[in-house]
Amino acid sequence: MTYRRYTATIVILTLALVLLALACLMFGSVDIPMGKIVDILSGKGSGNKAWDIIILQSRMPMIATAALAGAALSISGLLLQTTFNNPLAGPSILGVSSGAGLGVAIVILALGGSLGGLFGESMGSYMAILLGALMGAGVVLVVLIAFSAIVRSNTMLLIIGILVSYLTSSIVQLLNSVATEEGVHNYVSWGFGNFSGVSVAQMPVYAGVIILGLLGAALMVKPLNAMLLGTRYARNLGINVSRSRNILLLITGVLTAVVTAFCGPIGFIGLVVPHIARMSLGTSNHSRLVPATILAGADIALLCAVASVSSPHGIIPINAITPIIGVPIILYIIINRRRIQYFN
C-alpha cells in the first residue's frame, strides 16, 4: 500500500464526514436555511429561538453522538476480528451487544431505572443504564475469554457468541413478560436504536469514555499487528498475548457498552466497517487501519443518521437502516472472499 493511497483515503473519508455532518444540520422535521445555520454556529443567532435550540441542543449533539458511536462500534469490530482471527467477529455477532442490552433490560424492566437515584438527581437514571450495560458486556466478554482458552476453533467460538445472544434474548423476553407496560415501552423504544438520545448534559460522559477507548485502541497497534502473524510469532516479538487480548477485550466491552446504553443495540456497523477500511486501504496494518476505521465508522453512522431524519413520514429507527447497508457488503465479502486480499 502506497502512502498516496492512504492519504487519499483519509482525505476522502474526512471530506465525507464534513459533508454528512452538514447534511445532518440541514435535514430534519424543521427546515432551517443554511445561512441561518451558519449564523447559529458562529454565535450570531438566527433570530428564531426555536431554530437555535434545534441546532445547538438537538442536531449538534446528534452529530457528535452518531460519529462517536460509529467510530466506537467500528473499532470494536476491528479489535474483535483481529483478536479472534475471525472476519465475521463483531460486537453484535459475538454477543457483546446482547450482553450490554441485557444489562440495560435489567435496569429498565426489572428495576425500573430506580438505581438512578444512587447517582443523584443531576446524573439521572442514564448512569444506572450505563452501569448495567457495562456489567452485561463484561459478563459476555468473560465468557468469551473463558471459552477461547478451551475452544481453539474460531468457528466454534463464533457459534458460542451466537448462542450467548440467544440466551440473553430469552432472558430479556422473560423480563418483558413480568415488566410494567411503561417499562416494556421504554425498552422497545430503546431497542430501535437512535442517535438522538444523548443530551448536552450527558455528552461529556458519553464522549469522554469513547474518546479514551479510541485512544486505548490506537495504543494497541503493535500487539494487533503482531497477532495477525500468529500467537507464537507475537510471543517471539515479546508481546504478552494473554494480557494484550484481555486489554483489547476490555476496550471493546467498554466502547460497546457505552454506545449500547445511550444509542441502543446498533447492528452491522461493527461488523462491516473494518472490511470497508481494509478494502479501501488494501492493508491490514493497524497503524493505517485504525484511523481509517474510525473515520469510516463515523461516516457510516452519520449516513444512517441522515437517512433516519430525512423521511417525510417521521424518524426511521437506526436498526431499520443498518441492515440495508450492511447485508450487501457482507454478502459481497463472503462471495468474493478468495479474490479479496489484504496486504500487511
Side-chain angles (χ1 to χ4, degrees):
M1 181 196 67
T2 63
Y3 179 76
R4 181 178 298 177
R5 179 174 177 177
Y6 170 72
T7 303
T9 301
I10 294 298
V11 170
I12 291 172
L13 291 174
T14 303
L15 289 176
L17 184 68
V18 174
L19 292 175
L20 288 167
L22 289 175
C24 286
L25 287 174
M26 295 174 61
F27 295 116
S29 58
V30 178
D31 293 328
I32 303 176
M34 189 62 198
K36 296 297 183 181
I37 293 176
V38 173
D39 289 340
I40 294 170
L41 296 179
S42 63
K44 297 178 182 179
S46 64
N48 186 321
K49 188 175 181 180
W51 287 358
D52 294 353
I53 293 174
I54 289 172
I55 293 297
L56 297 177
Q57 297 187 26
S58 178
R59 294 184 184 178
M60 286 296 291
M62 182 190 71
I63 292 170
T65 300
L68 289 170
L73 292 174
S74 301
I75 282 295
S76 296
L78 176 64
L79 298 187
L80 289 174
Q81 288 170 13
T82 302
T83 301
F84 294 110
N85 190 27
N86 192 320
L88 293 179
S92 56
I93 299 297
L94 285 176
V96 181
S97 295
S98 298
L102 176 59
V104 173
I106 292 173
V107 173
I108 294 177
L109 299 175
L111 302 175
S114 59
L115 288 179
L118 295 175
F119 303 96
E121 294 295 332
S122 61
M123 299 300 288
S125 62
Y126 78 93
M127 283 300 294
I129 293 176
L130 176 58
L131 180 61
L134 287 169
M135 294 180 65
V139 169
V140 172
L141 286 172
V142 169
V143 171
L144 290 176
I145 292 172
F147 275 103
S148 66
I150 302 172
V151 178
R152 299 300 178 184
S153 171
N154 290 320
T155 302
M156 291 303 298
L157 193 62
L158 191 65
I159 292 174
I160 291 171
I162 294 173
L163 292 175
V164 169
S165 295
Y166 277 118
L167 179 61
T168 56
S169 297
S170 176
I171 297 174
V172 170
Q173 290 180 17
L174 291 173
L175 291 173
N176 268 313
S177 67
V178 299
T180 63
E181 182 178 349
E182 181 183 0
V184 173
H185 174 75
N186 291 337
Y187 185 77
V188 170
S189 299
W190 169 83
F192 286 148
N194 76 90
F195 294 133
S196 302
V198 181
S199 66
V200 175
Q202 297 168 352
M203 186 59 68
V205 174
Y206 174 81
V209 175
I210 289 180
I211 290 172
L212 287 176
L214 296 177
L215 289 174
L219 294 174
M220 296 298 290
V221 164
K222 182 178 178 181
L224 286 167
N225 282 336
M227 288 180 181
L228 289 175
L229 302 175
T231 301
R232 183 178 299 177
Y233 187 85
R235 289 197 179 100
N236 290 338
L237 291 177
I239 302 296
N240 187 324
V241 175
S242 179
R243 183 178 65 184
S244 297
R245 183 179 62 181
N246 291 339
I247 292 174
L248 291 170
L249 291 177
L250 176 62
I251 293 172
T252 298
V254 170
L255 290 175
T256 303
V258 171
V259 174
T260 302
F262 286 98
C263 305
I266 309 297
F268 283 98
I269 292 180
L271 175 62
V272 169
V273 173
H275 293 291
I276 296 176
R278 289 190 189 96
M279 288 188 290
S280 299
L281 298 176
T283 184
S284 288
N285 183 347
H286 287 78
S287 63
R288 304 285 175 87
L289 197 54
V290 166
T293 300
I294 290 174
L295 287 172
D299 287 343
I300 294 295
L302 284 176
L303 178 62
C304 292
V306 172
S308 174
V309 300
S310 298
S311 172
H313 303 292
I315 296 177
I316 301 174
I318 297 298
N319 280 329
I321 301 171
T322 52
I324 297 174
I325 298 174
V327 169
I329 296 174
I330 292 301
L331 290 176
Y332 174 82
I333 292 170
I334 292 174
I335 294 172
N336 297 277
R337 62 187 182 280
R338 293 184 178 179
R339 288 188 296 172
I340 298 175
Q341 298 180 357
Y342 302 137
F343 305 94
N344 291 319

